[in-house]
Amino acid sequence: MKKLSRLVLASNNQGKIEEFQPLLAPLGIELISQASLGIESVEETGLSFIENALIKARHACARSGLPALADDSGLSVTALNGAPGIYSARIAGSNASDDEKVQVLLQQMEAVPSDRRQGCYHCAIVLMQHPLDPIPLIAEGHLEGIILEQPCGVSGFGFDPVFYLPATKCTVAQLPLSAKNKISHRALAVAKLLAAL
């Protein structure tokens, strides 16, 4: 893979943009959001996190003419047979707030006892040089936790306020970004990507 100096982040999610910038800082790469280039989101029609990340990276490459980085991530809950999974961002509809998504998840888990509330954050990251790149770099990361019955914490985004980490004795939303960026599913995937680069 040739030396990269600029990358388009194939996301309009401000939370992801804020997480990716410090994670990629060691490479000295300028990270540009697709929103700042006027690139619209693409429909995610894949059946896995990797497929959706590939779709998003290819779309951002084609629209920008630059290499693109895309991730697709979400929450998989064992008691819900892996749901919401790739539909995590749309669990409460396409324009729902993070609070609304959390409330829908908690409603779906109302009858789930405390000893069966295990969940796992998944992240698939794709780095593509151009839209026809036949060998994109792909990396994955996972973070296991427990889904609380009530939100706790105000940092992060998505399901972070109900995603409890036994090792840290707090939710992801109670961690400062610097701590989250050492242990999150996204941080682990980026570390693998950096190693590959």
Side-chain angles (χ1 to χ4, degrees):
M1 183 167 278
K2 66 184 179 182
K3 176 78 173 153
L4 299 169
S5 59
R6 300 176 78 204
L7 271 180
V8 175
L9 181 61
S11 177
N12 293 326
N13 182 322
Q14 188 59 37
K16 285 186 181 182
I17 293 165
E18 290 170 4
E19 282 189 22
F20 269 114
Q21 285 175 331
L23 290 172
L24 293 171
L27 289 182
I29 295 173
E30 181 187 0
L31 190 64
I32 308 159
S33 73
Q34 70 177 14
S36 70
L37 299 176
I39 300 171
E40 72 288 352
S41 296
V42 66
E43 186 178 358
E44 298 173 30
T45 57
L47 298 178
S48 70
F49 293 114
I50 291 175
E51 287 178 16
N52 281 336
L54 285 164
I55 289 168
K56 291 190 274 191
R58 188 167 287 116
H59 173 77
C61 276
R63 295 291 189 276
S64 69
L66 294 168
L69 180 72
D71 96 312
D72 195 51
S73 49
L75 174 66
S76 173
V77 179
T78 306
L80 299 179
N81 296 318
I86 61 171
Y87 305 105
S88 294
R90 300 177 295 280
I91 188 174
S94 58
N95 295 314
S97 68
D98 285 347
D99 288 341
E100 290 168 327
K101 293 172 194 173
V102 167
Q103 289 309 312
V104 169
L105 175 68
L106 294 181
Q107 288 167 11
Q108 292 177 354
M109 296 188 68
E110 268 181 343
V112 179
S114 58
D115 63 341
R116 294 190 56 237
R117 298 180 74 89
Q118 296 84 1
C120 185
Y121 269 147
H122 299 273
C123 176
I125 294 180
V126 169
L127 178 58
M128 197 172 274
Q129 296 252 45
H130 53 81
L132 300 178
D133 190 344
I135 48 170
L137 284 179
I138 300 172
E140 294 182 90
H142 309 277
L143 180 64
E144 295 186 6
I146 297 167
I147 311 304
L148 296 182
E149 295 180 10
Q150 294 292 329
C152 192
V154 295
S155 298
F157 63 96
F159 300 105
D160 289 355
V162 291
F163 197 82
Y164 180 80
L165 303 172
T168 61
K169 295 182 171 49
C170 66
T171 67
V172 177
Q174 292 174 296
L175 292 173
L177 183 58
S178 58
K180 180 180 180 181
N181 273 350
K182 291 178 181 171
I183 63 169
S184 76
H185 53 308
R186 192 165 291 110
L188 297 174
V190 169
K192 292 178 184 177
L193 187 75
L194 296 182
L197 283 171

